[in-house]
Amino acid sequence: MSQEVLKIEGLSVAVDGKVILDKVDLTINEGEVHVLMGPNGAGKSTLGYSLMGNPKYEILEGKVTFKGEDLLEKSVDKRAKAGLFLSFQSPQEIPGVTLADFIRSGMEAKGERVSLYKFKKNVKSDLELLNMDASYLDRDLNVGFSGGEKKKAEILQLLCLKPALAILDETDSGLDVDAVRTVSAGVEAYKKSHNGALLIITHSTKILEALSVDRTHVLVGGHIAAEGGPELVDEINENGFEKYLNN
Amino acid sequence: MNMTKDITVNKIPVRTWNHLAMNDADVSGVNISGKAEAKVAFEGVTAARSGVLKDKYDDIKTSAGEELSELLAVSGIKPDIYAFDNRDENAYVKIGFDKGENAGNAHLLGIEAKEGSVITVYVDHSEDEDMSLFQTKLYAAKGSLIRFVQLFHSSDNAVVIDDIGGVCEDGAKIELYQLFISGAEVYAGCKACLAGNDAAFDAGIAYRLAGNQKLDMNYHAVFEGKRGSCDIQAGGALRDKSYKLFRGTIDFVNGCAGSVGAENESVLLIDDTVVNKTIPLILCAEEDVQGAHGASLGRPDEELLFYMQSRGLDRQEALRVLEKAKLDRVIGLMPHAAMREYASCLITEKENEYE
Amino acid sequence: MAEEKTYVEDIDRNIYDIKDEGQDSFSLDGGLTLDIVKQISEEKHDPEWMREFRIAAYEKYCSIKLPDWGPSLGGLNMNEIISYVRPNTKMSAKWSEVPDYIKNTFERLGIPKAERESLAGVGAQYDSELVYHNVKKEVAEQGVIYTDMESALTGEYADMVKEHFMKLVPVTDHKFAALHGAVWSGGSFVYVPKGVQVSIPLQSYFRLNAPGAGQFEHTLIIVDEGASLHFIEGCSAPKYNVANLHAGCVELFVGKNAKLRYSTIEKKKKNMYNLNTKKVKVEEGGTIEWVTGSFGSHVSCLYPMSILNGRGAHMEYTGITFAGEGQNLDTGLKVVHNAPETTSLTNAKSISKSGGISTFRSEVIITGKAKKSKASVSCESLMIDNISRSDTIPAMDIRTDDADVGHEATIGRISDEAVFYLMSRGLSEEEAKAMIVSGFAENVSKELPLEYAMEMNNLIRLEMVGSIG
């Protein structure tokens, strides 16, 4: 029996006074791959943001344990340091801060000392894997990046920061076939090298091809409407969410 | 009742280098001969019996500033105050001024919109010559909307000082539209105070100046309540030896969290002898706000002129079209078709005068 | 005084000659007398013309009123300032009397002890003479004259100095320009001959130990046709003086097709009134680049002025101002387009925090001669909290139809979403904000030599986090 990484119990969340998540339960063990599916507006991204601690999301009730500790009482940076990672759907652009400096700051926040030289050397293989030119490291964080480049930069951060659990919020959306394959290779590398757990929020199955899915959760109207194994992904792809909508 | 005084008007709230001559405007020989008689036409609306503005009138601050207000106070002229509780978007009020022999040259106006109501007031300024002074105070009660529209098409000798102060309560909005078509020397402006939460002030200002015309403007939006919004759009064209000074201030007072203010000016310079001055200020004492201003000042786009010429207009005609477009933009914002048509006629009339 | 040739006389004088007619908000009595001015002149062994110049400037100083705009100058103690410039007065303090915040800042910036004492105005002078002499020798091989103003007055280039001294910034400019003319002391003179490209930046820091330097110093730089130079004005730490007024004067002449970059990182002690006047005249095809970072001072009024006087002359201004607790930093620029096809590009940023006030003030003037000119101003302000203040006061005066002037200003705060994003990668809230602010200031730091850029980042971190990482 592998160890529990994340345990969500009865989590309810509101945004601007509107309840988005309603008593959600979900448990992820070390190294497991979970998929979270659901129609638009079901609250999938809300779950990601709430776990990461975006102050806009108000926790109404519930408990979240991350590696045995209470996650919800931690500040955002403490959650990151504890090993939680969120790949943003549309990451912020920060002018004047280079991608390299940003990633190094994240690594150093975890207590890792890395010189710029050493960092650039170490990150070379990751860049190759993601089909990214080394010049991206010196560009301002996400500024002028295309949608695909932003997503790749997120995965590069995932590979460098090596979290215990990564939540990928529609990391594959808006990407062409080649880019999905590249991103997927990055995710696979993270999984292999590090036995990291994953919670993948997605609409498509392409990103899942190289991974073996352990559990699938279907989120509808703010609560988990169905759960199952990898077969549930295929079923939903065929039949959609319709049958869960009026439950 | 006849007195002459030199006064300073249109001060910007924060001064800068004096040599720029933008901090304020001196008007010499300001003379008040008496109260101008207003002709008021009510189109589908009647004025409500009483309101709160008569008690607040003196406290509402205006763009021209204290010196003009003091002068008007000394003259003893009482404001004509109208309160409205109208819901009909089609209704409006049109005000003009009597030009009879014994008519005075100063007028004070008050417009109040009661809670949840909407009123549009058009003021037609066709002053003949010499000096005229106008002061208007607008009071928009909770959730109400006042649209105040002024058409300045005075004679080429007229000196006009036009002064406005407005207050918006919770959720209220003031829209100000001004067209400056003619007049020798015009001092104009509006100080709008967004006192309540979610209040708004929008201004659309257009001018077309030629000859030795002078237009000196001062707009000031004061954000006091939370989540206020303001959009000041000014634009126009300058020819010959005309002079234009635009002052626009977005003033975020501490506590006005969530407010958004924008101002923009776009000026077409047609002759080499014009004087075009612009000073768009943002004053900010609150963190949670967004303010932006922009200005683009310069010659007409050559590509655009070329395009129009390729369709058969000569250069001068093409410039006239661009010039008129500046005015048309604001006319398009006026809510009543009849008044839009009237404004368009005024412009064409003036155009024919030039030719 | 004999006829006073000024270098801006060919420009429409109306733009300049309307003097600020302010009311005295307080009087600057006490202090400066004609005798003191004469005494200063004597001590300095001024040539006769300079002695007359000082006396005339003193008279102007007495008659010009204080400005009626901008930050209050009510905290200026003219008595203290004047007794400091009075010759033969010992004003050096003791290390033990230097305020703790200055000492702590030195500590945190990692300034060596010896240098700290020098910068604090106490103890032995830090010996930068040696560095200075080496640099002087290196550039002298290219024919560049780099010397202190006092020796320039009597040296080989005395005529050149006389021809240019306070012609661009006349003593009638404002009260503190007049004061400067009367009591100026120290500063640098640089002459770069035709076609010479000076490869190393010259730094006024090398000359910091000249008595009275950093207070009323006069900088005169002439870059001749086709030559280029980078001059850096700054000291490596908050300089602690007893007197709290800095009224220096910088006059720059950029010849045909010449190029000058003038960089300033200003971080004086926080009780300083910084009222420096800087002006440049740029000839045909020449370029002036201002790179400026304002961090120190209690009150600053800094508006470098560029007169683009020849066809195709170009100005670039890149500046950042960080106003923290107790600071009122009024910065910006003036640019006059006075010839055809001149261009100017302004990129100004400001940050207000902990009750600090930052003001961006500018004037862009396009005269009737400046056909086909282009001016673009972009100005961004960042409010870190809601007890601070940030004002933007840009004035534009355009007198030709054939020009293109664009202006943009925005004001805002650090977005919560950006902070959240950085924190999600493990940065604390303070670190995240410091990183965003450093990024915001990057347009300036990337224009600076590495050691200055690092220092600037340290200054930002110091303001944002309270420590240097």
Side-chain angles (χ1 to χ4, degrees), chain C residues 308-332:
Chain C
L308 305 179
N309 217 38
R311 182 182 291 273
H314 176 65
M315 182 220 71
E316 263 176 54
Y317 173 96
T318 311
I320 183 126
T321 295
F322 193 130
E325 194 179 342
Q327 293 184 287
N328 187 344
L329 306 184
D330 203 296
T331 61

PDB file of all heavy atoms in Angstrom, chain C residues 308-332:
ATOM      1  N   LEU C 308      16.911  69.535 -28.122  1.00  0.00           N
ATOM      2  CA  LEU C 308      17.310  68.868 -29.362  1.00  0.00           C
ATOM      3  C   LEU C 308      17.384  69.950 -30.426  1.00  0.00           C
ATOM      4  O   LEU C 308      16.386  70.396 -30.954  1.00  0.00           O
ATOM      5  CB  LEU C 308      16.302  67.774 -29.716  1.00  0.00           C
ATOM      6  CG  LEU C 308      16.078  66.740 -28.595  1.00  0.00           C
ATOM      7  CD1 LEU C 308      15.038  65.702 -29.005  1.00  0.00           C
ATOM      8  CD2 LEU C 308      17.392  66.055 -28.213  1.00  0.00           C
ATOM      9  N   ASN C 309      18.601  70.384 -30.677  1.00  0.00           N
ATOM     10  CA  ASN C 309      18.794  71.640 -31.392  1.00  0.00           C
ATOM     11  C   ASN C 309      19.264  71.473 -32.829  1.00  0.00           C
ATOM     12  O   ASN C 309      19.380  72.451 -33.550  1.00  0.00           O
ATOM     13  CB  ASN C 309      19.803  72.491 -30.616  1.00  0.00           C
ATOM     14  CG  ASN C 309      19.450  73.947 -30.659  1.00  0.00           C
ATOM     15  OD1 ASN C 309      18.266  74.284 -30.605  1.00  0.00           O
ATOM     16  ND2 ASN C 309      20.449  74.807 -30.762  1.00  0.00           N
ATOM     17  N   GLY C 310      19.572  70.254 -33.216  1.00  0.00           N
ATOM     18  CA  GLY C 310      20.025  70.032 -34.589  1.00  0.00           C
ATOM     19  C   GLY C 310      19.177  68.947 -35.239  1.00  0.00           C
ATOM     20  O   GLY C 310      18.599  68.096 -34.556  1.00  0.00           O
ATOM     21  N   ARG C 311      19.117  69.002 -36.547  1.00  0.00           N
ATOM     22  CA  ARG C 311      18.307  68.023 -37.282  1.00  0.00           C
ATOM     23  C   ARG C 311      18.635  66.594 -36.848  1.00  0.00           C
ATOM     24  O   ARG C 311      19.794  66.219 -36.735  1.00  0.00           O
ATOM     25  CB  ARG C 311      18.575  68.174 -38.785  1.00  0.00           C
ATOM     26  CG  ARG C 311      17.769  67.252 -39.673  1.00  0.00           C
ATOM     27  CD  ARG C 311      18.130  67.424 -41.130  1.00  0.00           C
ATOM     28  NE  ARG C 311      17.692  68.713 -41.651  1.00  0.00           N
ATOM     29  CZ  ARG C 311      16.473  68.942 -42.162  1.00  0.00           C
ATOM     30  NH1 ARG C 311      15.600  67.961 -42.233  1.00  0.00           N
ATOM     31  NH2 ARG C 311      16.140  70.135 -42.589  1.00  0.00           N
ATOM     32  N   GLY C 312      17.588  65.836 -36.578  1.00  0.00           N
ATOM     33  CA  GLY C 312      17.778  64.431 -36.258  1.00  0.00           C
ATOM     34  C   GLY C 312      18.357  64.146 -34.883  1.00  0.00           C
ATOM     35  O   GLY C 312      18.699  62.999 -34.585  1.00  0.00           O
ATOM     36  N   ALA C 313      18.463  65.161 -34.029  1.00  0.00           N
ATOM     37  CA  ALA C 313      18.963  64.904 -32.676  1.00  0.00           C
ATOM     38  C   ALA C 313      17.973  64.000 -31.939  1.00  0.00           C
ATOM     39  O   ALA C 313      16.768  64.030 -32.198  1.00  0.00           O
ATOM     40  CB  ALA C 313      19.156  66.212 -31.926  1.00  0.00           C
ATOM     41  N   HIS C 314      18.501  63.202 -31.021  1.00  0.00           N
ATOM     42  CA  HIS C 314      17.678  62.166 -30.402  1.00  0.00           C
ATOM     43  C   HIS C 314      17.885  62.114 -28.899  1.00  0.00           C
ATOM     44  O   HIS C 314      18.999  62.258 -28.407  1.00  0.00           O
ATOM     45  CB  HIS C 314      18.044  60.817 -31.034  1.00  0.00           C
ATOM     46  CG  HIS C 314      17.355  59.640 -30.427  1.00  0.00           C
ATOM     47  ND1 HIS C 314      15.982  59.479 -30.510  1.00  0.00           N
ATOM     48  CD2 HIS C 314      17.819  58.585 -29.728  1.00  0.00           C
ATOM     49  CE1 HIS C 314      15.645  58.347 -29.882  1.00  0.00           C
ATOM     50  NE2 HIS C 314      16.742  57.792 -29.392  1.00  0.00           N
ATOM     51  N   MET C 315      16.801  61.926 -28.168  1.00  0.00           N
ATOM     52  CA  MET C 315      16.895  61.754 -26.725  1.00  0.00           C
ATOM     53  C   MET C 315      16.202  60.480 -26.294  1.00  0.00           C
ATOM     54  O   MET C 315      15.140  60.142 -26.811  1.00  0.00           O
ATOM     55  CB  MET C 315      16.233  62.925 -25.994  1.00  0.00           C
ATOM     56  CG  MET C 315      16.366  62.805 -24.494  1.00  0.00           C
ATOM     57  SD  MET C 315      14.903  63.265 -23.498  1.00  0.00           S
ATOM     58  CE  MET C 315      13.763  61.957 -23.816  1.00  0.00           C
ATOM     59  N   GLU C 316      16.831  59.797 -25.340  1.00  0.00           N
ATOM     60  CA  GLU C 316      16.146  58.680 -24.701  1.00  0.00           C
ATOM     61  C   GLU C 316      16.214  58.856 -23.203  1.00  0.00           C
ATOM     62  O   GLU C 316      17.268  59.189 -22.665  1.00  0.00           O
ATOM     63  CB  GLU C 316      16.803  57.349 -25.088  1.00  0.00           C
ATOM     64  CG  GLU C 316      16.099  56.672 -26.219  1.00  0.00           C
ATOM     65  CD  GLU C 316      16.787  55.408 -26.669  1.00  0.00           C
ATOM     66  OE1 GLU C 316      17.026  54.540 -25.812  1.00  0.00           O
ATOM     67  OE2 GLU C 316      17.098  55.318 -27.870  1.00  0.00           O
ATOM     68  N   TYR C 317      15.108  58.655 -22.553  1.00  0.00           N
ATOM     69  CA  TYR C 317      15.081  58.764 -21.095  1.00  0.00           C
ATOM     70  C   TYR C 317      14.519  57.468 -20.544  1.00  0.00           C
ATOM     71  O   TYR C 317      13.437  57.028 -20.921  1.00  0.00           O
ATOM     72  CB  TYR C 317      14.195  59.943 -20.680  1.00  0.00           C
ATOM     73  CG  TYR C 317      13.962  60.060 -19.187  1.00  0.00           C
ATOM     74  CD1 TYR C 317      14.757  60.903 -18.413  1.00  0.00           C
ATOM     75  CD2 TYR C 317      12.953  59.344 -18.552  1.00  0.00           C
ATOM     76  CE1 TYR C 317      14.550  61.031 -17.043  1.00  0.00           C
ATOM     77  CE2 TYR C 317      12.740  59.453 -17.184  1.00  0.00           C
ATOM     78  CZ  TYR C 317      13.535  60.296 -16.437  1.00  0.00           C
ATOM     79  OH  TYR C 317      13.327  60.409 -15.077  1.00  0.00           O
ATOM     80  N   THR C 318      15.281  56.834 -19.662  1.00  0.00           N
ATOM     81  CA  THR C 318      14.827  55.621 -19.008  1.00  0.00           C
ATOM     82  C   THR C 318      14.994  55.845 -17.512  1.00  0.00           C
ATOM     83  O   THR C 318      16.121  56.030 -17.047  1.00  0.00           O
ATOM     84  CB  THR C 318      15.691  54.419 -19.423  1.00  0.00           C
ATOM     85  OG1 THR C 318      15.792  54.415 -20.849  1.00  0.00           O
ATOM     86  CG2 THR C 318      15.090  53.114 -18.973  1.00  0.00           C
ATOM     87  N   GLY C 319      13.925  55.884 -16.795  1.00  0.00           N
ATOM     88  CA  GLY C 319      14.070  56.234 -15.386  1.00  0.00           C
ATOM     89  C   GLY C 319      13.170  55.435 -14.473  1.00  0.00           C
ATOM     90  O   GLY C 319      12.088  55.006 -14.866  1.00  0.00           O
ATOM     91  N   ILE C 320      13.651  55.237 -13.258  1.00  0.00           N
ATOM     92  CA  ILE C 320      12.800  54.626 -12.236  1.00  0.00           C
ATOM     93  C   ILE C 320      12.941  55.415 -10.945  1.00  0.00           C
ATOM     94  O   ILE C 320      14.024  55.861 -10.591  1.00  0.00           O
ATOM     95  CB  ILE C 320      13.140  53.137 -12.019  1.00  0.00           C
ATOM     96  CG1 ILE C 320      12.171  52.525 -10.998  1.00  0.00           C
ATOM     97  CG2 ILE C 320      14.555  52.942 -11.518  1.00  0.00           C
ATOM     98  CD1 ILE C 320      11.484  51.315 -11.510  1.00  0.00           C
ATOM     99  N   THR C 321      11.824  55.593 -10.272  1.00  0.00           N
ATOM    100  CA  THR C 321      11.817  56.305  -9.003  1.00  0.00           C
ATOM    101  C   THR C 321      11.112  55.434  -7.978  1.00  0.00           C
ATOM    102  O   THR C 321      10.044  54.904  -8.244  1.00  0.00           O
ATOM    103  CB  THR C 321      11.073  57.646  -9.159  1.00  0.00           C
ATOM    104  OG1 THR C 321      11.811  58.458 -10.052  1.00  0.00           O
ATOM    105  CG2 THR C 321      10.925  58.354  -7.828  1.00  0.00           C
ATOM    106  N   PHE C 322      11.752  55.268  -6.842  1.00  0.00           N
ATOM    107  CA  PHE C 322      11.166  54.440  -5.774  1.00  0.00           C
ATOM    108  C   PHE C 322      11.035  55.319  -4.536  1.00  0.00           C
ATOM    109  O   PHE C 322      12.019  55.667  -3.903  1.00  0.00           O
ATOM    110  CB  PHE C 322      12.077  53.239  -5.498  1.00  0.00           C
ATOM    111  CG  PHE C 322      11.435  52.162  -4.656  1.00  0.00           C
ATOM    112  CD1 PHE C 322      11.471  50.842  -5.068  1.00  0.00           C
ATOM    113  CD2 PHE C 322      10.793  52.458  -3.463  1.00  0.00           C
ATOM    114  CE1 PHE C 322      10.878  49.833  -4.312  1.00  0.00           C
ATOM    115  CE2 PHE C 322      10.192  51.475  -2.708  1.00  0.00           C
ATOM    116  CZ  PHE C 322      10.235  50.158  -3.127  1.00  0.00           C
ATOM    117  N   ALA C 323       9.812  55.690  -4.208  1.00  0.00           N
ATOM    118  CA  ALA C 323       9.586  56.536  -3.039  1.00  0.00           C
ATOM    119  C   ALA C 323       9.096  55.688  -1.880  1.00  0.00           C
ATOM    120  O   ALA C 323       8.030  55.094  -1.939  1.00  0.00           O
ATOM    121  CB  ALA C 323       8.572  57.632  -3.362  1.00  0.00           C
ATOM    122  N   GLY C 324       9.907  55.614  -0.851  1.00  0.00           N
ATOM    123  CA  GLY C 324       9.534  54.870   0.348  1.00  0.00           C
ATOM    124  C   GLY C 324       9.124  55.825   1.462  1.00  0.00           C
ATOM    125  O   GLY C 324       8.821  57.000   1.220  1.00  0.00           O
ATOM    126  N   GLU C 325       9.150  55.300   2.667  1.00  0.00           N
ATOM    127  CA  GLU C 325       8.706  56.063   3.830  1.00  0.00           C
ATOM    128  C   GLU C 325       9.396  57.429   3.908  1.00  0.00           C
ATOM    129  O   GLU C 325      10.608  57.534   3.773  1.00  0.00           O
ATOM    130  CB  GLU C 325       9.025  55.251   5.086  1.00  0.00           C
ATOM    131  CG  GLU C 325       8.331  55.770   6.312  1.00  0.00           C
ATOM    132  CD  GLU C 325       8.675  54.914   7.535  1.00  0.00           C
ATOM    133  OE1 GLU C 325       9.143  53.765   7.354  1.00  0.00           O
ATOM    134  OE2 GLU C 325       8.456  55.419   8.649  1.00  0.00           O
ATOM    135  N   GLY C 326       8.614  58.461   4.134  1.00  0.00           N
ATOM    136  CA  GLY C 326       9.163  59.796   4.360  1.00  0.00           C
ATOM    137  C   GLY C 326       9.743  60.469   3.128  1.00  0.00           C
ATOM    138  O   GLY C 326      10.381  61.502   3.236  1.00  0.00           O
ATOM    139  N   GLN C 327       9.532  59.881   1.962  1.00  0.00           N
ATOM    140  CA  GLN C 327      10.147  60.439   0.756  1.00  0.00           C
ATOM    141  C   GLN C 327       9.123  61.097  -0.169  1.00  0.00           C
ATOM    142  O   GLN C 327       8.006  60.598  -0.326  1.00  0.00           O
ATOM    143  CB  GLN C 327      10.886  59.340  -0.024  1.00  0.00           C
ATOM    144  CG  GLN C 327      12.090  58.796   0.717  1.00  0.00           C
ATOM    145  CD  GLN C 327      12.831  57.786  -0.128  1.00  0.00           C
ATOM    146  OE1 GLN C 327      12.366  56.678  -0.329  1.00  0.00           O
ATOM    147  NE2 GLN C 327      13.986  58.174  -0.627  1.00  0.00           N
ATOM    148  N   ASN C 328       9.511  62.200  -0.730  1.00  0.00           N
ATOM    149  CA  ASN C 328       8.699  62.874  -1.732  1.00  0.00           C
ATOM    150  C   ASN C 328       9.589  63.098  -2.951  1.00  0.00           C
ATOM    151  O   ASN C 328      10.396  64.013  -2.993  1.00  0.00           O
ATOM    152  CB  ASN C 328       8.190  64.206  -1.173  1.00  0.00           C
ATOM    153  CG  ASN C 328       7.198  64.866  -2.115  1.00  0.00           C
ATOM    154  OD1 ASN C 328       7.109  64.511  -3.287  1.00  0.00           O
ATOM    155  ND2 ASN C 328       6.455  65.834  -1.600  1.00  0.00           N
ATOM    156  N   LEU C 329       9.482  62.184  -3.907  1.00  0.00           N
ATOM    157  CA  LEU C 329      10.397  62.213  -5.047  1.00  0.00           C
ATOM    158  C   LEU C 329       9.662  62.693  -6.297  1.00  0.00           C
ATOM    159  O   LEU C 329       8.790  62.016  -6.821  1.00  0.00           O
ATOM    160  CB  LEU C 329      11.020  60.831  -5.274  1.00  0.00           C
ATOM    161  CG  LEU C 329      11.699  60.224  -4.044  1.00  0.00           C
ATOM    162  CD1 LEU C 329      12.367  58.886  -4.394  1.00  0.00           C
ATOM    163  CD2 LEU C 329      12.736  61.165  -3.444  1.00  0.00           C
ATOM    164  N   ASP C 330      10.014  63.880  -6.710  1.00  0.00           N
ATOM    165  CA  ASP C 330       9.363  64.531  -7.833  1.00  0.00           C
ATOM    166  C   ASP C 330      10.364  64.491  -8.990  1.00  0.00           C
ATOM    167  O   ASP C 330      11.351  65.212  -8.987  1.00  0.00           O
ATOM    168  CB  ASP C 330       9.055  65.986  -7.415  1.00  0.00           C
ATOM    169  CG  ASP C 330       7.934  66.603  -8.230  1.00  0.00           C
ATOM    170  OD1 ASP C 330       8.125  66.754  -9.444  1.00  0.00           O
ATOM    171  OD2 ASP C 330       6.890  66.936  -7.646  1.00  0.00           O
ATOM    172  N   THR C 331      10.145  63.585  -9.909  1.00  0.00           N
ATOM    173  CA  THR C 331      11.134  63.365 -10.964  1.00  0.00           C
ATOM    174  C   THR C 331      10.467  63.369 -12.330  1.00  0.00           C
ATOM    175  O   THR C 331       9.253  63.271 -12.431  1.00  0.00           O
ATOM    176  CB  THR C 331      11.872  62.027 -10.779  1.00  0.00           C
ATOM    177  OG1 THR C 331      10.905  60.979 -10.832  1.00  0.00           O
ATOM    178  CG2 THR C 331      12.583  61.954  -9.439  1.00  0.00           C
ATOM    179  N   GLY C 332      11.275  63.465 -13.339  1.00  0.00           N
ATOM    180  CA  GLY C 332      10.737  63.470 -14.693  1.00  0.00           C
ATOM    181  C   GLY C 332      11.719  64.097 -15.646  1.00  0.00           C
ATOM    182  O   GLY C 332      12.930  63.924 -15.493  1.00  0.00           O
TER     183      GLY C 332
END
